Amino acid sequence: MPKIKKTRKFAVMKKMIKLTDTRLKEKDREVKKVKKVDRHERKIVEASQSSSALFFQYNTQLGPPYRILLDTNFINFSIKNKVDLVSGMMDCLYAKCIPYISECVQGEMERMGERYRLALKVMKDPRIEYLPCLHKGLYADDCLVQRVTQHKCYIVATCDKALKRRIRKIPGVPIMSVGKHKNRQTENTLSRSKSLVTLFL
């Protein structure tokens, strides 16, 4: 005999556990009271305190020698485009630059493996200074954002779009990145590509 097809019942209430059920804990048995919202009550909005370094959005802590926080992909892109880190930064800013690498960025580069061994050699340059990290976790982007919000004296060197988007929301923090720029010359000469370090304010 063929089986009868059962039609699905619509608008059927789901079975719920009663408040008197023994499986429920005492705190779950209590009926939660919903607080009524008063329209005339004043709303308290907590605004984060702006840094004392900012004077009408102008960062007074930025000045030579510039302190630049390096990200992992900035180092990789500088190697790929054959740009020396310190000299490229100095050509961009026309002043002395001190590159800094946090422990999170160093750990992230070491976890990338053997493929990025050249970047690890570049990181061991004596001109690059290391910053200790006291926070929990090893995510480099969070580390850089946290450090920049606390101290406004840094320029962030990165090519990561997501990190750039996060840093643009923090006022008074410039972003440096590596990109290709084509120089075109006249009179039948070939256009040659030259990699540059650019700064976005």
Side-chain angles (χ1 to χ4, degrees):
M1 261 180 86
K3 289 182 179 178
I4 300 164
K5 287 183 180 178
K6 290 183 180 178
T7 54
R8 190 178 159 205
K9 292 179 182 178
F10 293 97
V12 178
M13 283 280 291
K14 288 183 180 178
K15 289 183 181 178
M16 296 178 77
I17 301 171
K18 291 181 181 179
L19 292 172
T20 54
D21 201 311
T22 54
R23 291 176 287 180
L24 283 173
K25 293 175 183 174
E26 283 185 30
K27 66 174 183 179
D28 295 329
R29 285 183 192 170
E30 293 172 3
V31 180
K32 292 174 183 175
K33 292 178 182 178
V34 180
K35 190 181 178 183
K36 289 183 180 178
V37 180
D38 188 17
R39 290 181 184 178
H40 302 292
E41 191 180 347
R42 284 189 176 182
K43 291 180 182 177
I44 299 165
V45 180
E46 290 183 14
S48 58
Q49 190 177 357
S50 58
S51 176
S52 60
L54 297 175
F55 181 75
F56 293 116
Q57 302 294 317
Y58 175 73
N59 193 351
T60 55
Q61 284 189 351
L62 278 176
Y66 293 105
R67 295 163 183 85
I68 299 163
L69 281 173
L70 300 177
D71 192 22
T72 48
N73 52 25
F74 184 84
I75 298 163
N76 292 333
F77 271 81
S78 64
I79 292 165
K80 189 178 176 182
N81 293 320
K82 296 173 185 176
V83 178
D84 184 43
L85 276 177
V86 181
S87 64
M89 289 170 187
M90 287 173 77
D91 289 344
C92 178
L93 296 167
Y94 298 111
K96 188 186 175 184
C97 300
I98 306 163
Y100 287 93
I101 291 177
S102 64
E103 284 180 353
C104 293
V105 173
Q106 190 181 3
E108 191 177 67
M109 190 68 81
E110 285 169 359
R111 275 183 272 125
M112 281 178 163
E114 194 67 24
R115 190 178 168 189
Y116 297 95
R117 62 184 178 274
L118 188 61
L120 284 165
K121 280 185 181 178
V122 170
M123 282 169 64
K124 288 173 184 174
D125 192 331
R127 294 175 291 180
I128 297 171
E129 294 187 20
Y130 290 92
L131 295 169
C133 291
L134 302 170
H135 58 83
K136 291 179 181 178
L138 292 167
Y139 190 51
D141 289 9
D142 288 342
C143 173
L144 293 173
V145 169
Q146 185 185 353
R147 202 174 284 274
V148 160
T149 47
Q150 287 173 351
H151 311 286
K152 300 283 182 188
C153 60
Y154 294 112
I155 296 169
V156 180
T158 184
C159 297
D160 186 13
K161 286 181 182 177
L163 182 59
K164 278 182 183 179
R165 207 176 294 120
R166 286 176 71 182
I167 289 166
R168 280 192 192 110
K169 291 174 185 175
I170 306 162
V173 181
I175 302 165
M176 186 180 276
S177 65
V178 178
K180 283 191 176 179
H181 175 73
K182 288 187 177 177
N183 255 351
R184 288 188 181 172
Q185 294 178 347
T186 52
E187 295 179 14
N188 300 327
T189 53
L190 294 167
S191 61
R192 56 182 182 181
S193 63
K194 187 182 178 184
S195 48
L196 289 172
V197 177
T198 51
L199 183 74
F200 302 99
L201 295 169

